[in-house]
Amino acid sequence: NAGVTQTPKFQVLKTGQSMTLQCAQDMNHEYMSWYRQDPGMGLRLIHYSVGAGITDQGEVPNGYNVSRSTTEDFPLRLLSAAPSQTSVYFCASSTRTGLEAFFGQGTRLTVV
Amino acid sequence: DAKTTQPTSMDCAEGRAANLPCNHSTISGNEYVYWYRQIHSQGPQYIIHGLKNNETNEMASLIITEDRKSSTLILPHATLRDTAVYYCIVRVLSNDYKLSFGAGTTVTVRA
């Protein structure tokens, strides 16, 4: 059971480049979400999904797009990377009841 | 969701119990208390949750005061691997799923 898998683990982008952070879970969880964590700070919610085809914005959605075409996958897209998006990104999944969230190991993104 | 207040940091001796306090004075009757931790460079890990009764699992115990305005997470025998940031989160168990992480408590377990 792999749980929540994020790829890549590390990425360096130039300002203006685009990329997609991948997140996959094999637990058949309905809920998935993306968080970012800046140095010395707690996690902030970017976008979340309560099921395939349904997404919504979190606390800091600007500059990011998401889609949820399958239960398993929830990719996060940066359309035009900015240095302010340098952060560690975590994907999480949980069941409908939301009792316990499972987090991936994170993607460390640097935008130069 | 109710706001929580935790100490910024605390130290604990290896093998001793670690008691982590959390204040949530504005908690509503249908809000649960959750605890997560984040070991350096890893994703957060669920520890335990409760509504009003004390709870215990293989990782920790959660003590919630009778008025539910505060709680304490207890790590019964802290080890060096318990060094982490611990987050106390209060939220409603509803159909959407959002966790609001504050700054948490940085717990350092010393040998």
Side-chain angles (χ1 to χ4, degrees):
Chain A
N1 189 343
V4 179
T5 302
Q6 291 184 236
T7 56
K9 288 186 171 54
F10 301 93
Q11 183 70 49
V12 179
L13 287 179
K14 294 182 179 179
T15 297
Q17 285 185 315
S18 63
M19 80 160 294
T20 299
L21 309 186
Q22 302 291 343
C23 176
Q25 53 94 5
D26 61 0
M27 297 171 283
N28 201 32
H29 285 168
E30 293 172 280
Y31 297 156
M32 297 186 74
S33 51
W34 277 101
Y35 295 83
R36 62 176 287 174
Q37 185 173 34
D38 299 323
M41 297 183 66
L43 283 77
R44 291 184 293 169
L45 181 65
I46 304 172
H47 285 285
Y48 66 99
S49 169
V50 299
I54 305 170
T55 63
D56 206 346
Q57 296 181 351
E59 180 185 357
V60 288
N62 292 340
Y64 308 94
N65 280 349
V66 292
S67 61
R68 184 95 179 272
S69 57
T70 67
T71 299
E72 294 78 18
D73 300 299
F74 190 43
L76 178 71
R77 284 185 289 275
L78 285 72
L79 299 179
S80 179
S84 61
Q85 294 178 304
T86 294
S87 189
V88 181
Y89 292 83
F90 290 101
C91 178
S93 75
S94 68
T95 61
R96 177 185 291 272
T97 57
L99 289 177
E100 176 181 356
F102 294 84
F103 284 80
Q105 288 303 299
T107 294
R108 284 149 183 80
L109 175 68
T110 301
V111 182
V112 298
Chain B
D1 293 339
K3 180 179 178 180
T4 62
T5 303
Q6 299 177 250
T8 303
S9 63
M10 62 183 296
D11 286 358
C12 177
E14 188 178 22
R16 304 294 293 270
N19 297 293
L20 284 63
C22 179
N23 287 321
H24 31 79
S25 58
T26 61
I27 192 170
S28 300
N30 61 345
E31 288 182 311
Y32 285 71
V33 180
Y34 287 76
W35 283 85
Y36 280 77
R37 74 179 183 183
Q38 187 175 24
I39 297 171
H40 181 63
S41 298
Q42 297 183 19
Q45 176 189 23
Y46 165 85
I47 300 173
I48 199 168
H49 77 279
L51 182 61
K52 54 183 178 181
N53 296 322
N54 297 338
E55 303 288 345
T56 296
N57 63 19
E58 66 278 4
M59 290 183 65
S61 295
L62 174 61
I63 308 298
I64 303 174
T65 58
E66 191 169 344
D67 63 6
R68 302 209 325 121
K69 294 184 176 183
S70 66
S71 60
T72 301
L73 178 75
I74 301 173
L75 308 177
H77 304 287
T79 71
L80 298 179
R81 290 176 294 180
D82 291 321
T83 293
V85 179
Y86 287 77
Y87 297 98
C88 171
I89 299 168
V90 174
R91 62 176 292 271
V92 176
L93 195 66
S94 59
N95 284 335
D96 62 358
Y97 191 82
K98 293 176 277 188
L99 289 171
S100 296
F101 288 84
T105 297
T106 299
V107 174
T108 303
V109 180
R110 303 190 185 280

